[in-house]
Amino acid sequence: MLKFWKKKPTEPTEPAAPEPQAPEDRVDQSADPAEAEIGAGVAEALAETAQPEPAAPEIEAEAEESAVVEAAREAEQPARRSWRERLSGSGFAKSLSSLFVRHPKLDDDLLDELETSLITADVGVEASTRLVEDLRKRMHKREFADAGALLKALRAELVALLRPVEQPLDVATPSPFVILTVGINGVGKTTTIGKLARRYADEGRSVMLAAGDTFRAAAVEQLKTWGERNKVPVVSQGQDADSASVIFDALQAARSRGTQVLIADTAGRLHTQGGLMDELGKIGRVMKKLDASAPHEVLMVIDGTTGQNAISQVRQFRDTAGVTGLVVTKLDGTAKGGVMFALAREFGLPIRYVGLGETATDLRVFDAEAFVDGLLPPTIGA
């Protein structure tokens, strides 16, 4: 009878969804209540004291700017090394610099020692004698007030001797411009090719390399490494392949792809090896089947440390392969440097480039005045 006093059961309601919490504010409900309360307090404190993160883009921008500056610094580093710094260790530079310090007095003894120094530095007997005798006549005419004036005149004479061979190589036309590199073993032909590829690629020209040195072990792989480094394609057929065939294929590929410069490597050979020297003539004849004017430059690489032996090398290669230009390497080391004057006087062949170091940018366009400035001090005692 008291049923009407009973409360009606309440209708079930959906539990309210908890408000979403930030990951750092979420507290493990299954944990001990005390620990949960402590955890919530810590989270709240961290949220209140947290400072905004440093602007990542600004840090990244600073890092990027630093990387750019560093890259620019590395790129400029080779250019900071002057010709004088590169050539100061040569025998020519050391001999003549000390000569004028030891003999500051203008007399015949100074000229006699000057002649000896020039001959010792591989300038050559005939060239040295003629140069010194001309200076002696001018001295007797009292054209020089002192040894400093003689030094200045010597610098001018040496520049005048090299000026006619200061002819940079122009690879603008035709296309492809074919460069055939020749030289004896160990002068640095393959390395020079890699440096040339870097130079022309930096100028915005398309370049292709032909691995024509199929005789020396690992020569093909060495050239491929330079190609990968400079992002330049390399045409090869492996070791012991016919060199003329490799270069013929490379010329075909360069013509079909519209490549602007093709640089062909060849095996090193002594100028006394008649059979191997004749092979260079074969390479030239094979290329002319595709391009009657190819190769457009026969570039002979000479080791600057070989001295007067370079004269006989150039003579043989010029007669056999028709050398049209020279590259003199390793002038920054123990090279005496005087062979440049001997080559200029003997052959008059253009000296296109000189090697002043190991990096790609150390292959410099030959500059007669800069070269002489690197060998001789501007004044006595400088």
Side-chain angles (χ1 to χ4, degrees):
M1 64 185 284
L2 299 176
K3 288 181 180 180
F4 66 95
W5 292 102
K6 293 181 179 179
K7 294 183 179 179
K8 293 183 180 180
T10 57
E11 295 182 0
T13 58
E14 294 290 338
E19 295 183 0
Q21 295 179 335
E24 61 271 18
D25 295 335
R26 190 175 295 119
V27 180
D28 188 357
Q29 298 296 332
S30 62
D32 184 77
E35 292 180 358
E37 184 176 355
I38 293 173
V42 171
E44 183 178 357
L46 288 174
E48 292 178 355
T49 60
Q51 298 294 329
E53 293 182 6
E58 184 177 349
I59 295 178
E60 293 176 0
E62 292 178 359
E64 183 178 353
E65 182 180 356
S66 176
V68 171
V69 171
E70 185 64 26
R73 186 179 297 114
E74 292 179 359
E76 293 174 358
Q77 187 64 27
R80 292 175 184 169
R81 300 289 302 276
S82 67
W83 288 67
R84 183 182 300 280
E85 291 173 314
R86 293 293 190 183
L87 298 172
S88 60
S90 70
F92 192 111
K94 291 180 178 179
S95 175
L96 293 187
S97 296
S98 61
L99 169 63
F100 281 93
V101 172
R102 295 194 315 270
H103 295 275
K105 183 181 178 181
L106 180 62
D107 54 19
D108 285 322
D109 291 338
L110 172 60
L111 288 173
D112 290 340
E113 287 213 27
L114 174 60
E115 182 178 4
T116 302
S117 296
L118 292 174
I119 295 174
T120 305
D122 292 327
V123 174
V125 175
E126 187 176 352
S128 300
T129 301
R130 178 172 296 186
L131 179 61
V132 171
E133 288 306 313
D134 288 344
L135 293 174
R136 195 187 304 274
K137 290 177 182 178
R138 296 175 62 184
M139 181 187 73
H140 291 162
K141 292 179 181 179
R142 300 187 181 277
E143 292 186 20
F144 309 134
D146 51 24
L150 174 65
L151 173 60
K152 184 177 179 180
L154 175 62
R155 289 169 58 94
E157 291 287 340
L158 292 176
V159 171
L161 186 58
L162 293 176
R163 188 75 75 186
V165 299
E166 182 188 71
Q167 301 177 34
L169 180 59
D170 183 9
V171 298
T173 55
S175 183
F177 188 95
V178 183
I179 301 174
L180 182 67
T181 58
V182 299
I184 69 170
N185 301 282
V187 295
K189 290 190 307 301
T190 305
T191 300
T192 298
I193 290 172
K195 294 178 179 181
L196 285 174
R198 167 68 179 276
R199 167 178 287 276
Y200 297 144
D202 288 347
E203 292 175 357
R205 306 181 191 276
S206 55
V207 183
M208 181 181 292
L209 306 181
D213 184 358
T214 58
F215 181 76
R216 180 171 62 90
V220 175
E221 294 303 319
Q222 182 183 0
L223 195 66
K224 286 182 177 179
T225 299
W226 274 105
E228 293 173 359
R229 187 180 303 172
N230 297 322
K231 297 180 175 59
V232 169
V234 179
V235 176
S236 65
Q237 293 181 9
Q239 191 172 348
D240 297 328
D242 180 61
S243 181
S245 175
V246 174
I247 296 174
F248 181 84
D249 290 347
L251 181 54
Q252 278 188 319
R255 286 163 62 92
S256 63
R257 299 182 190 181
T259 302
Q260 294 172 294
V261 182
L262 171 64
I263 310 175
D265 193 8
T266 60
R269 64 206 72 208
L270 295 176
H271 52 287
T272 56
Q273 296 172 318
L276 290 176
M277 293 295 290
D278 291 340
E279 186 185 48
L280 292 177
K282 175 186 175 182
I283 292 173
R285 292 192 301 271
V286 168
M287 281 193 290
K288 291 184 186 302
K289 294 180 179 180
L290 289 176
D291 185 345
S293 62
H296 307 104
E297 176 80 1
V298 179
L299 200 59
M300 182 174 179
V301 182
I302 300 170
D303 185 338
T305 63
T306 57
Q308 287 293 303
N309 189 39
I311 302 296
S312 57
Q313 293 176 24
V314 173
R315 184 176 292 112
Q316 286 295 114
F317 276 89
R318 181 195 59 179
D319 296 341
T320 303
V323 174
T324 57
L326 304 176
V327 178
V328 184
T329 63
K330 307 178 185 180
L331 289 174
D332 60 314
T334 58
K336 297 177 181 179
V339 69
M340 301 283 285
F341 304 96
L343 291 170
R345 187 181 183 281
E346 182 75 20
F347 303 105
L349 287 170
I351 299 177
R352 307 296 194 182
Y353 302 97
V354 291
L356 300 180
E358 297 180 356
T359 66
T361 55
D362 285 328
L363 187 69
R364 310 278 184 90
V365 174
F366 179 62
D367 184 329
E369 188 169 353
F371 181 76
V372 172
D373 184 64
L375 294 176
L376 289 174
T379 57
I380 295 177

